[in-house]
Amino acid sequence: MLVMSLVQGGKSIFQASFLRNVASNLIDKVGTCVIGCLLIKAMPMKFLDNFKKEA
């Protein structure tokens, strides 16, 4: 739907597809990083200390 609206707005099919992929990948990667950071912060320090000793 986004690609078709961009094409109707004057973009080529390549530009419209590229912009949709960039936007969806950006949202996906940022969301994954946020969830990863929240999961690490939610882990108990006792669990995280085990990894510091091995490194």
Side-chain angles (χ1 to χ4, degrees):
M1 194 157 90
L2 179 62
V3 173
M4 289 307 294
S5 65
L6 288 170
V7 169
Q8 289 176 352
K11 301 286 185 200
S12 71
I13 190 76
F14 175 78
Q15 290 173 327
S17 296
F18 182 77
L19 288 172
R20 189 208 51 91
N21 285 335
V22 168
S24 67
N25 282 337
L26 183 63
I27 292 169
D28 177 50
K29 302 305 180 210
V30 170
T32 302
C33 287
V34 168
I35 290 170
C37 288
L38 291 173
L39 287 173
I40 290 172
K41 286 187 175 208
M43 287 182 188
M45 287 303 286
K46 190 174 188 180
F47 179 77
L48 293 175
D49 285 341
N50 292 332
F51 291 104
K52 290 179 183 175
K53 291 176 186 174
E54 292 177 9

